[in-house]
Amino acid sequence: MHASRRAPIGMFDSGLGGLTVANALMRRLPTESLLYFGDTARVPYGPKSPDTVRRYALQIGQWLVQEGVKCIVVACNTATAHALEALQSSLSVPVIGVVEPGARAAVRASPVGPIGVIGTTGTIGSGAYVRAIQQQAPTARVLSAPCPLFVPLVEEGWVDHPATRLIAHDYLSPMREAQVDTLVLGCTHYPLLSSVIAAEMGPGVRLIDSAEETAAEVERILDDRGLRHDPVGDHDAGPVHRVVASDAPQHFLTLGGRFLDVPLTAVEYHVFT
Ligand code: DGL
């Protein structure tokens, strides 16, 4: 038995949205256990300053390490944009963000662009996606736009509502005018709006959800470091998932199922003092 191979993968988001990444991880790495933290007491991160988001992310990262995780997935675009480097340099476990994998998938789909990126005000303001895309494809044309109302619309369950279609039409008009052929959904909540976004953008535009690519990256890192759970060699009874929220765990339990293929059965409560 190898203790760290059996340890859970830690992950966090400002709230529910990172469950889209948890879902992709469960599909790709079905024998791994997950410890998911949703910072529901302090959501949203999108409009907050980089310093504040970094402080929250470091606090959560340290807690996940104390809980014994073997790596950490920052399942939040805003936290990745503002805090990935700080987390990587201060924590003792590998830390994987969602921006790089999303950028890589976008460049693979559209090597010269134009590529569009949408996300929260914080993510777009940080320029993290544009940098990550242009690092891989220096001549690619990239256009980015914040869509701050999308998160509350998803939280409200308005994923196919006339108001959502109206707002999407407005937000996405610069993307249509620039004739982007690929659009990065640079926020954990946006995959839930993919049918509205796809209808606005038209059939020729590929939508990139970084969740699948992030799960592939986690798999690579676990393999490289000998941290992949081995269901035969480790002789255990299969994955044990924990979901923890910093506020209103019951609400999280009710809404969380929307983001997952499997039912969510319990949500613990942990608050930072
Ligand atoms: N999870 C955040 C992200 O991916 C969206 C929600 C928020 O603003 O906190 O950027």
Side-chain angles (χ1 to χ4, degrees), residues 77-142:
N77 292 263
T78 311
T80 301
H82 294 324
L84 183 66
E85 282 164 24
L87 289 161
Q88 285 173 332
S89 61
S90 68
L91 299 179
S92 54
V93 297
V95 184
I96 301 120
V98 285
V99 170
E100 247 281 324
R104 197 180 317 122
V107 169
R108 202 183 309 125
S110 176
V112 289
I115 297 171
V117 182
I118 53 175
T120 65
T121 304
T123 299
I124 299 305
S126 75
Y129 267 105
V130 177
R131 274 196 305 281
I133 291 170
Q134 288 183 336
Q135 235 157 42
Q136 298 179 40
T139 56
R141 271 184 60 212
V142 192

Side-chain angles (χ1 to χ4, degrees), residues 13-15 17-18 43-47 75-79 120 123 151 186-189:
D13 177 40
S14 52
V43 70
Y45 284 3
C76 172
N77 292 263
T78 311
T120 65
T123 299
V151 168
C187 172
T188 49
H189 286 56

Side-chain angles (χ1 to χ4, degrees), residues 49-71:
S49 72
D51 281 350
T52 297
V53 173
R54 205 172 300 123
R55 180 160 50 83
Y56 294 168
L58 285 169
Q59 205 173 32
I60 298 165
Q62 279 149 10
W63 177 77
L64 287 169
V65 170
Q66 277 162 28
E67 292 294 302
V69 302
K70 61 183 172 186
C71 68

Side-chain angles (χ1 to χ4, degrees), residues 170-265:
D170 205 77
Y171 276 159
L172 298 174
S173 64
M175 299 292 166
R176 279 193 309 273
E177 278 157 28
Q179 298 186 324
V180 301
D181 61 12
T182 300
L183 183 67
V184 180
L185 307 181
C187 172
T188 49
H189 286 56
Y190 298 179
L192 276 90
L193 297 177
S194 51
S195 57
V196 171
I197 295 171
E200 271 308 317
M201 295 307 295
V205 177
R206 279 162 298 218
L207 302 187
I208 304 290
D209 168 1
S210 54
E212 300 297 332
E213 191 72 21
T214 302
E217 171 103 355
V218 173
E219 181 177 34
R220 262 194 305 277
I221 287 180
L222 294 183
D223 281 341
D224 284 355
R225 311 218 179 184
L227 288 173
R228 177 87 170 262
H229 175 252
D230 171 5
V232 180
D234 292 345
H235 304 296
D236 60 16
V240 180
H241 302 310
R242 281 176 65 199
V243 177
V244 183
S246 56
D247 193 20
Q250 192 55 42
H251 184 66
F252 198 101
L253 187 61
T254 312
L255 294 185
R258 266 189 214 157
F259 294 76
L260 292 171
D261 296 339
V262 295
L264 189 57
T265 50

